[in-house]
Amino acid sequence: MTEEGFINKVLVANRGEIAIRVMRGCREFGISTVAVYSDADRNALFKRYADEAYNIGKPPATMSYLNIDRIVGVAVKAGAEAIHPGYGFLAENAEFARKIEKAGIVFMGPPPQAIEAMGSKIDSKKTMKAAGVPVIPGVEKGITDPEEAKDIAAQIGYPVMLKASAGGGGIGMTVVHDEAHLAKALDSTQRIAKATFGDGTVFLEKYLDEPRHIEFQILSDTHGHDIHVRERECSIQRRHQKVVEETPSPVITEELRERMGKAAVMAAKAVDYRSAGTVEFMYSKGDFYFLEMNTRLQVEHPITEMITNVDLVKEQLRVASGMELGYTQDEIKGNGWAIEARINAEDTMTFLPAPGKITRYAEPGGPGVRIDSGVYMGYEIPPFYDSLIAKLIAWGRDRKEAIARLDRALFEYEIRGVKTNILLHRVILREPAFIEGRLTTHFIQDYDIQKKVAEAMKEEKANSLGRARAAAIAAVGVYVNAAAQARAQNMKG
Ligand code: MV4
């Protein structure tokens, strides 16, 4: 890499597990790494992992990880030829990408115009529709007149959904079931959009019932090659944050993968994409629709790496140095099944972050287990950033083996001192609907998962056998149950 390309040093404009993940790819290519860290991350693992580290300010992200000029300044001073943004923070900030390129540094993401093209929901829908990518039925324009809204809703049929064009994170979306409620909902959604995003533009589309979230990994280089690296299903989420992700999707057939993959590649080509990205679709009753494109490497990228053996960060490094992708579409093959559990420091009852000091810490291991983490025993999780402790990923030859391995790894995982969602994951894996692959975006509500976690906690406390023994018994139960279910249903996709 250092011989062929021109990148010898990369600055990682992020923290935690993703900063380490990116630096791992760099290290394998012999590229040196620069970390930037806030005052709250003086003792963080990613800071120690890097070859060089620079303090960029106070703990609040606005005073450190979101300070564009300071980060670009450090990159120039350190002589980094490229900046990797990770996810979150500045990863989808077109201004950041522009300032980096103006400083003569490579932004390890898409061109700024591609970030902007995907920033507005109305504009991205228009672009996708023109490119031949299926979109949710509706209108791709802002609506202000309640009478016009009623005409459009009558045409597409109720229920409909009002969405803020500048929206994100599930804010500014309202389901409307009949005409009587439309005018009021339009008014309130516009207000929320204006107050939250500074842009009150709202549009209207068909509301999809029981949707599944299926996304495609994309890789694009600067030589006109765009490929997809198969799908991930991320239907299980709470408060618009993913909790469990898997690949392949239990519902997808080879024929559907081919069609959705082609649509994802068309989406990438339509915005002159570069680097790694994700095209999100909603899947409902056999049909799929473009939802949005995330113009970054995503949290759940490891499951794709587990079944394809493609190192997505190393592909990003190749692309950034002007090389062609290391794979053609035909060379992308899926092997087995991978599932990721996001391990958060949080209170499962409220889903609120629970930062604090990790007093005991032991990571799982063994066959088919990957863990991407950024913590250690004695580490204090700062309260300023998101609550992700680690991503635990299990690979199996088939779905049932992946489930059994993930459950076994969750059993091995020991974290003390902070509340975690480990038990939540074990409850999800035990739920018959999960074992059968019946996933929807309402999974946690529909199956009373939080209530079941509360019960499991009580049982755990009451159980004189102790935690380890109870968990071991449950793990065997999951395996037996999963095996029986898998026999009943062919889920090898
Ligand atoms: C929808 C929908 C149903 N119908 N659009 C949520 C995030 C935002 N980007 C789009 N979202 C949705 N849009 C129509 N027309 C349901 C959701 C949705 C959802 C989508 C993906 C993953 C999880 C979700 C959880 C709740 C709602």
Side-chain angles (χ1 to χ4, degrees):
M1 183 78 174
T2 41
E3 281 166 34
E4 294 167 75
F6 56 89
I7 293 174
N8 296 299
K9 196 186 265 194
V10 170
L11 181 143
V12 184
N14 216 298
R15 61 181 301 281
E17 65 84 19
I18 193 62
I20 293 176
R21 168 67 192 94
V22 171
M23 292 191 284
R24 281 179 167 147
C26 294
R27 196 162 285 278
E28 286 180 30
F29 270 153
I31 296 170
S32 51
T33 52
V34 181
V36 290
Y37 65 95
S38 76
D39 291 345
D41 282 332
R42 286 189 187 287
N43 299 317
L45 205 54
F46 77 91
K47 181 200 161 199
R48 284 196 232 150
Y49 191 104
D51 297 310
E52 295 165 59
Y54 296 86
N55 182 284
I56 50 162
K58 292 193 164 61
T62 49
M63 300 171 87
S64 48
Y65 297 106
L66 294 173
N67 189 330
I68 293 176
D69 292 330
R70 198 168 301 157
I71 293 169
V72 176
V74 169
V76 171
K77 194 172 86 183
E81 291 100 350
I83 296 181
H84 194 299
Y87 53 70
F89 296 127
L90 298 168
E92 292 174 279
N93 186 313
E95 186 198 340
F96 184 50
R98 279 211 176 86
K99 285 196 166 161
I100 288 170
E101 305 208 322
K102 229 176 149 187
I105 297 169
V106 178
F107 176 66
M108 290 184 64
Q113 311 87 268
I115 299 175
E116 277 161 354
M118 291 299 178
S120 148
K121 290 195 186 199
I122 290 179
D123 291 348
S124 65
K125 258 187 98 167
K126 264 194 224 158
T127 308
M128 291 305 116
K129 204 171 169 179
V133 179
V135 297
I136 302 172
V139 288
E140 287 75 49
K141 61 172 189 144
I143 297 170
T144 46
D145 177 12
E147 291 311 312
E148 188 191 5
K150 284 176 188 171
D151 286 346
I152 295 162
Q155 272 172 41
I156 58 181
Y158 288 91
V160 296
M161 195 169 217
L162 292 162
K163 280 188 185 176
S165 183
I171 300 166
M173 305 194 311
T174 315
V175 186
V176 183
H177 292 278
D178 52 61
E179 190 173 293
H181 295 92
L182 188 57
K184 226 177 127 190
L186 177 61
D187 184 63
S188 69
T189 310
Q190 281 174 321
R191 260 188 250 224
I192 291 167
K194 180 81 188 138
T196 317
F197 310 108
D199 172 1
T201 311
V202 164
F203 67 106
L204 216 167
E205 63 186 24
K206 179 87 189 150
Y207 174 69
L208 301 176
D209 209 18
E210 294 202 11
R212 296 172 76 126
H213 172 124
I214 301 176
E215 58 183 35
F216 275 72
Q217 177 68 53
I218 289 294
L219 282 174
S220 302
D221 65 19
T222 52
H223 302 270
H225 305 119
D226 305 85
I227 63 170
H228 76 81
V229 195
R230 301 172 73 98
E231 81 282 2
R232 296 182 287 258
E233 171 145 7
C234 313
S235 293
I236 299 186
Q237 53 84 48
R238 45 90 180 154
R239 291 185 171 182
H240 299 287
Q241 273 219 3
K242 294 160 188 166
V243 177
V244 181
E245 303 100 349
E246 65 181 280
T247 186
S249 160
V251 279
I252 209 166
T253 59
E254 198 48 60
E255 185 268 331
L256 185 58
R257 176 174 298 117
E258 181 107 11
R259 279 196 292 137
M260 291 178 81
K262 280 212 173 100
V265 167
M266 286 198 288
K269 286 196 186 291
V271 294
D272 283 322
Y273 205 74
R274 177 187 78 204
S275 197
T278 296
V279 181
E280 293 187 356
F281 295 103
M282 300 213 57
Y283 170 91
S284 179
K285 300 174 176 138
D287 290 315
F288 68 91
Y289 311 90
F290 170 83
L291 193 58
E292 50 194 71
M293 182 167 187
N294 299 318
T295 53
R296 59 166 192 271
L297 185 71
Q298 286 193 271
V299 177
E300 60 273 24
H301 78 274
I303 56 174
T304 298
E305 298 185 324
M306 293 288 266
I307 69 153
T308 61
N309 276 325
V310 176
D311 184 320
L312 293 168
V313 170
K314 276 157 69 170
E315 289 305 304
Q316 287 189 297
L317 288 165
R318 287 176 66 97
V319 172
S321 67
M323 294 165 73
E324 293 184 27
L325 291 173
Y327 300 82
T328 63
Q329 188 66 66
D330 291 346
E331 288 168 344
I332 302 295
K333 299 262 184 316
N335 177 29
W337 214 286
I339 310 180
E340 173 178 283
R342 293 195 192 188
I343 310 299
N344 293 305
E346 70 183 16
D347 184 321
T348 301
M349 293 310 115
T350 57
F351 286 136
L352 289 174
K357 191 178 173 121
I358 298 176
T359 54
R360 248 203 78 70
Y361 189 74
E363 288 187 347
V369 172
R370 166 173 169 177
I371 184 151
D372 281 23
S373 64
V375 302
Y376 53 86
M377 194 165 3
Y379 176 72
E380 179 137 12
I381 300 165
F384 304 99
Y385 316 108
D386 79 25
S387 61
L388 190 73
I389 294 174
K391 303 180 310 204
L392 179 57
I393 305 111
W395 180 90
R397 276 178 306 171
D398 52 24
R399 193 169 185 269
K400 82 172 180 197
E401 189 177 47
I403 291 174
R405 277 201 174 137
L406 185 56
D407 194 65
R408 183 267 294 168
L410 287 162
F411 158 75
E412 291 175 6
Y413 207 166
E414 199 171 354
I415 306 174
R416 292 289 153 80
V418 295
K419 289 181 179 171
T420 77
N421 61 349
I422 289 177
L423 196 55
L424 171 84
H425 283 295
R426 304 204 67 207
V427 169
I428 290 170
L429 296 189
R430 249 170 271 182
E431 188 62 40
F434 181 85
I435 294 164
E436 290 158 25
R438 285 188 283 117
L439 316 174
T440 80
T441 52
H442 308 123
F443 185 91
I444 289 180
Q445 302 92 292
D446 285 356
Y447 299 101
D448 281 324
I449 297 299
Q450 281 167 294
K451 205 179 106 201
K452 287 171 186 167
V453 173
E455 283 160 12
M457 273 178 187
K458 264 193 230 153
E459 243 170 72
E460 218 173 54
K461 279 193 188 124
N463 195 339
S464 61
L465 288 174
R467 178 179 178 274
R469 179 88 188 276
I473 291 164
V476 171
V478 168
Y479 190 86
V480 171
N481 205 352
Q485 294 288 355
R487 271 197 299 278
Q489 253 187 277
N490 177 13
M491 291 192 294
K492 295 202 173 182

